[in-house]
Amino acid sequence: MLLPDRNTVDRLLRHYRAQERTVLARPCDLSARRRFEDTAYTLCVLMGERTAREAVLAAERYVAGTRPVSPPALEGLPRA
């Protein structure tokens, strides 16, 4: 399986957190919210997750160097 560049994920995660603070500080700023959602989507695609929360958690684990948790649907299958 191909994995994203760890530095890219780290940079994107920091960018996500900065945008998150901006959106919380200015909830009516639609352009800030749009940038935040675009970054969240990119994290979802890079990490192969469906929600921003799952993607952020997976990115944090990945950057920290811990082994990702296998999805529950795949737990009983043999590994290749």
Side-chain angles (χ1 to χ4, degrees):
M1 173 168 61
L2 292 175
L3 297 174
D5 176 54
R6 198 174 304 270
N7 292 329
T8 301
V9 174
D10 182 46
R11 182 179 46 80
L12 191 61
L13 189 57
R14 285 186 279 117
H15 193 61
Y16 174 87
R17 292 294 186 199
Q19 289 178 335
E20 182 178 44
R21 287 188 298 273
T22 301
V23 168
L24 289 172
R26 296 181 302 196
C28 294
D29 185 346
L30 296 180
S31 64
R33 180 171 297 279
R34 198 170 306 117
R35 286 189 303 272
F36 176 65
E37 290 172 355
D38 286 347
T39 303
Y41 175 77
T42 302
L43 264 175
C44 288
V45 171
L46 273 179
M47 301 312 299
E49 299 292 344
R50 290 180 176 233
T51 68
R53 178 170 169 71
E54 292 171 348
V56 167
L57 292 173
E60 288 171 342
R61 284 191 305 267
Y62 183 66
V63 168
T66 57
R67 189 178 169 109
V69 177
S70 61
L74 301 177
E75 284 181 357
L77 299 176
R79 298 214 179 236

